[in-house]
Amino acid sequence: MDYNAIFRKKIENLKQEGNYRIFADLERYQGSFPRARNYSGNTERDVTVWCSNDYLGMGQNEAVINSMKEAIDKCGAGAGGTRNISGTNHYHVLLEKELAELHGKEAALLFTSGYVSNWASLSVLGANLENCVILSDALNHASMIEGVRHSRAKKIIWKHNDVADLKKHLQDLDPSVPKLIAFESVYSMDGDIAPISDICDVAEEFGAMTYLDEVHAVGLYGTRGGGVSERDGVAERVTIIEGTLGKAFGVLGGYISGSKEMCDFVRSFASGFIFTTALPPAVAAGALTSIKHLKASELERADQKRKVKYLRDQLNKSGIPHIDNPSHIVPVMIKDPVKCKMISDILMDKYGIYVQPINYPTVPKGTERLRLTPSPVHSFEDIDFLVDAMNQLWSQCALSRVVA
């Protein structure tokens, strides 16, 4: 059997559908982000990045970088093993304490990524709570879906952000079975925000645990960057808060926070934690510095809000369609995979603007988009240049506009 022929055929189908992904080869400039060097074949060019999840530019923060350098000088490069076998560095311990304090929880547990923290935690909770039922929001991230699936627990999908539908499902369940409600705060593709307080009301009524993914919110919302749950004053009502260190905190890693017993349980039973090498000490040190900085500083969050508002205003003036939402994510809707890829390519090739096309399976077919993430390190001039380029392309490609 020609296995490579099978692979080629599948890839060719992706290309014909407009869903084949090409990764931009980038080299970020320290201290100058969102500027980056793009390598394409034999050519090199400077570009402005408009789709980074380094939402506040903390990956370029001088104090974060210096703390990582100091940790390398002090500890060396790697952790040296799994957390269980020689890999628990003092920076890990300090970071877990800092994360627990950020969310007002008793404990926290580090993972190598936000994907792994979701997958490992949801799978081990669902598998080890006898007769557990996991109620998962319809638009949950792939990492959460994989964790639920791997747990082999009974799964119920409730309508996105629909508390009435969630309550209806809970009413139909045996009151004696363990129940876990899994949802996100900020949904990264549409940028909408969950009604956390209302979900907690229903969870408390039916004796369910809540598992909140705050990966697109930590660092960005709340007076100390604790996420939407901190902003809304409901963090103490959420059983488990999961987050990432790889977005607004600018480094790498994932975590959960909650009771001492819950974190110890996951630590003791989750294969995704037990059998993987620990984060490098320098990464933990950088994350620790970033979290402490954003706990004390409101400057980055305030500046980002100004840039998000300005971008939305300029898009509205040009009639460029985007999803109006209460978050920092600005999805510009194309609704065609081929056109979405074409516009992304032209923005890169002609204007030096890099924004990755978002196609299926990340979003449903027919909802293809350019996902813009303005940050404090983008200037107002950067925004004007971006919108002007998009305005030209909307005319050249005869794309539909929103009439004010």
Side-chain angles (χ1 to χ4, degrees):
M1 182 177 288
D2 189 347
Y3 292 106
N4 285 329
I6 297 173
F7 302 149
R8 284 193 298 270
K9 178 63 175 176
K10 294 288 186 181
I11 293 297
E12 188 57 37
N13 289 342
L14 272 183
K15 291 179 178 178
Q16 290 176 3
E17 294 168 358
N19 292 321
Y20 181 70
R21 303 181 185 199
I22 297 173
F23 301 152
D25 183 353
L26 300 173
E27 184 177 88
R28 304 212 307 177
Y29 290 131
Q30 181 185 334
S32 298
F33 193 72
R35 307 290 178 262
R37 193 72 170 163
N38 172 232
Y39 297 86
S40 180
N42 295 322
T43 64
E44 299 178 19
R45 58 191 166 193
D46 286 345
V47 299
T48 301
V49 179
W50 272 102
C51 53
S52 174
N53 284 339
D54 187 359
Y55 291 134
L56 298 177
M58 292 303 293
Q60 302 292 307
N61 181 277
E62 185 175 354
V64 172
I65 293 170
N66 287 339
S67 69
M68 295 181 74
K69 290 178 179 177
E70 291 170 7
I72 286 178
D73 289 341
K74 188 175 182 179
C75 303
T82 65
R83 290 289 300 273
N84 184 50
I85 304 177
S86 82
T88 295
N89 188 276
H90 190 53
Y91 284 112
H92 298 135
V93 177
L94 294 176
L95 179 54
E96 287 174 338
K97 289 181 180 178
E98 192 72 26
L99 288 165
E101 198 279 333
L102 174 66
H103 294 296
K105 300 299 183 186
E106 293 180 336
L109 190 66
L110 279 173
F111 293 84
T112 50
S113 74
Y115 190 104
V116 174
S117 58
N118 271 335
W119 175 84
S121 300
L122 284 168
S123 63
V124 77
L125 288 167
N128 287 276
L129 293 172
E130 189 175 357
N131 298 319
C132 181
V133 178
I134 300 179
L135 299 101
S136 180
D137 185 284
L139 294 188
N140 275 343
H141 189 264
S143 58
M144 301 176 79
I145 294 170
E146 281 298 306
V148 173
R149 180 182 297 138
H150 189 74
S151 75
R152 298 185 179 180
K154 180 179 178 180
K155 173 182 65 177
I156 294 174
I157 307 299
W158 50 285
K159 296 176 184 176
H160 176 55
N161 278 350
D162 189 332
V163 179
D165 187 57
L166 172 62
K167 183 171 183 177
K168 176 178 174 293
H169 287 297
L170 285 165
Q171 287 172 333
D172 293 337
L173 292 175
D174 182 341
S176 67
V177 301
K179 293 169 283 288
L180 176 63
I181 302 168
F183 63 108
E184 302 180 38
S185 57
V186 177
Y187 287 83
S188 63
M189 289 300 112
D190 288 348
D192 54 336
I193 294 178
I196 302 174
S197 180
D198 293 341
I199 293 171
C200 287
D201 288 343
V202 173
E204 290 162 4
E205 180 181 352
F206 291 92
M209 295 190 298
T210 46
Y211 183 102
L212 175 61
D213 178 316
E214 288 257 43
V215 296
H216 291 278
V218 289
L220 297 165
Y221 298 87
T223 56
R224 305 187 312 151
V228 178
S229 58
E230 183 199 25
R231 184 199 70 179
D232 294 353
V234 294
E236 74 282 356
R237 299 177 64 192
V238 179
T239 312
I240 302 165
I241 296 177
E242 185 267 350
T244 185
L245 307 171
K247 292 183 170 62
F249 293 131
V251 194
L252 173 72
Y255 64 90
I256 57 169
S257 62
S259 69
K260 290 180 180 178
E261 292 84 356
M262 185 279 299
C263 287
D264 195 23
F265 173 79
V266 174
R267 181 190 72 88
S268 300
F269 290 98
S271 63
F273 175 84
I274 296 170
F275 297 108
T276 192
T277 301
L279 285 173
V283 172
L288 184 63
T289 299
S290 182
I291 293 165
K292 286 182 175 180
H293 175 88
L294 290 174
K295 276 183 175 179
S297 173
E298 188 63 30
L299 293 176
E300 291 81 5
R301 287 188 285 274
D303 197 18
Q304 187 204 38
K305 289 175 184 175
R306 285 191 290 269
K307 303 297 172 53
V308 170
K309 183 181 185 303
Y310 186 74
L311 173 58
R312 290 189 184 279
D313 289 345
Q314 298 309 108
L315 291 172
N316 287 337
K317 289 178 183 178
S318 297
I320 295 174
H322 60 96
I323 296 178
D324 187 17
N325 62 50
S327 76
H328 59 285
I329 295 166
V330 184
V332 173
M333 304 307 290
I334 311 296
K335 299 182 179 181
D336 180 278
V338 176
K339 287 183 180 179
C340 195
K341 175 69 166 58
M342 177 185 69
I343 291 170
S344 173
D345 288 344
I346 296 173
L347 285 171
M348 178 76 102
D349 296 337
K350 185 176 180 180
Y351 298 95
I353 292 170
Y354 171 50
V355 52
Q356 186 75 9
I358 306 295
N359 292 343
Y360 178 83
T362 305
V363 294
K365 292 180 180 180
T367 67
E368 293 79 12
R369 66 198 65 184
L370 301 176
R371 177 180 174 275
L372 304 175
T373 53
S375 73
V377 293
H378 289 96
S379 67
F380 291 109
E381 292 76 18
D382 288 333
I383 296 173
D384 289 337
F385 185 74
L386 168 70
V387 176
D388 183 60
M390 295 179 73
N391 195 30
Q392 294 178 43
L393 286 179
W394 249 249
S395 297
Q396 293 170 17
C397 300
L399 295 171
S400 62
R401 295 180 186 261
V402 177
V403 179

